[in-house]
Amino acid sequence: MWQPIVEHPNFSPRLIEETLRLAARQEQDVAAAVRKNLDDPRRIWERIVENDLTDEAVHLLEVLFTLRTATLDTLSESWSWYRKERGLEADARTFRRALQVLDGTMVVVEQQAVSFHNPSIADYLRFHLDAGRAPMAALLDALLDPVQIHSLIDAAGIADGAGILAQLKAEATRTESAVLETAEFVEWSPEVADESETSNLQWILEAAELLDSAPLAAHVVKERGPDHWHGEHVEHLVNLLHAMAGSRLIAQEDVARFAGEVADAIRLELAEQVDDGDWYGAIGLYEYLKEVPGGSLSGPLLEALVECALEALHLVDSEDASLFDAHPLETLLQFLFEQGYDGDADDESAEDFATVQKWVDRFAKLRKVPRFAPRQETAAPGPYSDEERDREVITELMKGLRDPDITPGV
């Protein structure tokens, strides 16, 4: 009986303790009751939170729900503000007492960080907030970290979050202020996967749609100009543009204006890439520009990009192995195809074009050939990635690059 209990993902000593106490009192099948409550722990957590815990402990759980996981200092500060907003005692001794009640049962404290003991407790706290058992105004006034308003907006957006959504709407001024304050915490990062000003604006627009908030939507469409967007991740800009185009809160003239700003920002960055000789980056920007309504490239800048791409053809015989990665070469040829260069004899760069095409064809052919004999393993091997295959093929191509007896494509 005990093995499926201790291995259950919702296992918690506090939950087991409470189940055993109730089962003994009601003369239930103890093992069956434990398994039932592990499968649906909300019944037990509700009894514990609403009936057994001190107020300061419950308030700590409510604040931790917004933080998800937090340092002791951040949790203590937010809890203190929350308690003060409710007119309650909020000294350090009371906080420590609340934490001691919960530590090891409902929360885990490790290396000065606090988190829920298991996900089922956070699930119950969402139900607790959705039922209106915590004053949303006080909770909003106690927010210190942007993750807190993110947590509340996320909870309001799921199927069983209608109660939280209604409370956030009822506190529209506080909610909108908390959403807008997240912009103060955004720092620029070279990584596209990280948050940027633009991705934060997209999240604000999503929050505006959820909350039906005209002020938040107005903040997103505030006039800024193309220079403001210079240096922002182009992928984020295009994603924001798509989100604005599909929003019921944003007028089409505002979408068109932003599209013009994005197009100008991309052209500006593209010109810099061409000046630096970064044909691969410039062609990538050219592809994003095509996704922008009204975005186009013509005149001297397009001519400069084409010239930059043609110069790259001449580098095929260089010793720079990165030029022989499959995707950049295919990107280069595809761009030139679109501009009318197809390797015909009349083209000035026909010989270079043909050489690159042969290497791309041979690369594609070799990628389909298994490079290793099957391995004998007891466990199934992981997937053989394209990147690993590419590196092997590149090595083989480079070995024969200057060998006159080896013909590309053969």
Side-chain angles (χ1 to χ4, degrees), residues 30-42:
V30 174
V34 169
R35 289 195 299 270
K36 181 178 180 180
N37 287 336
L38 287 174
D39 290 337
D40 182 17
R42 194 176 81 179

Side-chain angles (χ1 to χ4, degrees), residues 22-308:
L22 294 174
R25 181 191 305 169
Q26 300 170 8
E27 298 182 353
Q28 294 178 317
D29 180 335
V30 174
V34 169
R35 289 195 299 270
K36 181 178 180 180
N37 287 336
L38 287 174
D39 290 337
D40 182 17
R42 194 176 81 179
R43 299 162 58 250
I44 293 296
W45 293 135
E46 184 170 20
R47 178 182 292 273
I48 293 172
V49 172
E50 309 304 337
N51 299 328
D52 295 349
L53 294 181
T54 62
D55 286 346
E56 54 262 29
V58 175
H59 299 161
L60 190 151
L61 292 174
E62 291 167 350
V63 171
L64 184 59
F65 174 80
T66 67
L67 286 164
R68 306 178 187 179
T69 184
T71 64
L72 280 171
D73 288 344
T74 299
L75 178 60
S76 174
E77 186 176 359
S78 187
W79 174 88
S80 296
W81 279 110
Y82 183 45
R83 295 272 294 179
K84 290 174 182 176
E85 290 295 332
R86 302 184 65 168
L88 300 171
E89 190 177 22
D91 59 87
R93 182 181 179 185
T94 305
F95 174 77
R96 289 195 299 270
R97 187 168 60 240
L99 190 61
Q100 288 171 355
V101 169
L102 300 171
D103 187 15
T105 56
M106 300 189 76
V107 304
V108 177
V109 182
E110 292 181 341
Q111 298 179 344
Q112 299 297 302
V114 186
S115 58
F116 286 115
H117 192 280
N118 67 55
S120 71
I121 303 173
D123 289 341
Y124 171 72
L125 263 294
R126 187 179 69 249
F127 165 79
H128 173 86
L129 264 64
D130 192 74
R133 295 173 182 173
M136 186 59 68
L139 200 55
L140 289 168
D141 286 342
L143 303 184
L144 300 174
D145 190 294
V147 72
Q148 294 178 275
I149 187 62
H150 275 269
S151 296
L152 291 173
I153 293 294
D154 289 347
I158 62 178
D160 59 355
I164 295 176
L165 177 58
Q167 294 172 66
L168 291 176
K169 286 184 175 182
E171 298 293 341
T173 301
R174 287 184 171 89
T175 302
E176 289 162 355
S177 176
V179 169
L180 293 178
E181 285 174 1
T182 60
E184 299 176 7
F185 295 86
V186 175
E187 296 182 359
W188 188 86
S189 168
E191 300 297 327
V192 177
D194 292 340
E195 188 181 34
S196 67
E197 178 186 351
T198 308
S199 63
N200 177 253
L201 284 172
Q202 183 175 346
W203 175 77
I204 290 176
L205 179 57
E206 292 167 358
E209 295 280 347
L210 179 66
L211 299 166
D212 196 24
S213 170
L216 290 180
H219 173 80
V220 174
V221 301
K222 183 173 64 176
E223 292 192 27
R224 294 175 176 87
D227 289 343
H228 180 85
W229 306 113
H230 183 54
E232 280 286 289
H233 295 298
V234 172
E235 180 179 340
H236 293 181
L237 287 170
V238 173
N239 289 341
L240 174 58
L241 177 59
H242 291 330
M244 291 173 64
S247 173
R248 57 187 171 79
L249 298 175
I250 297 180
Q252 287 306 303
E253 54 265 31
D254 290 321
V255 175
R257 176 180 54 77
F258 182 67
E261 293 178 0
V262 171
D264 288 344
I266 294 176
R267 293 188 190 100
L268 180 60
E269 187 170 348
L270 192 152
E272 293 177 356
Q273 299 277 26
V274 170
D275 288 342
D276 292 340
D278 184 1
W279 60 268
Y280 184 54
I283 292 175
L285 292 173
Y286 169 79
E287 293 299 324
Y288 275 118
L289 187 60
K290 292 193 296 184
E291 294 186 39
V292 178
S296 62
L297 196 65
S298 60
L301 184 53
L302 178 58
E303 295 172 4
L305 176 56
V306 171
E307 183 63 29
C308 186

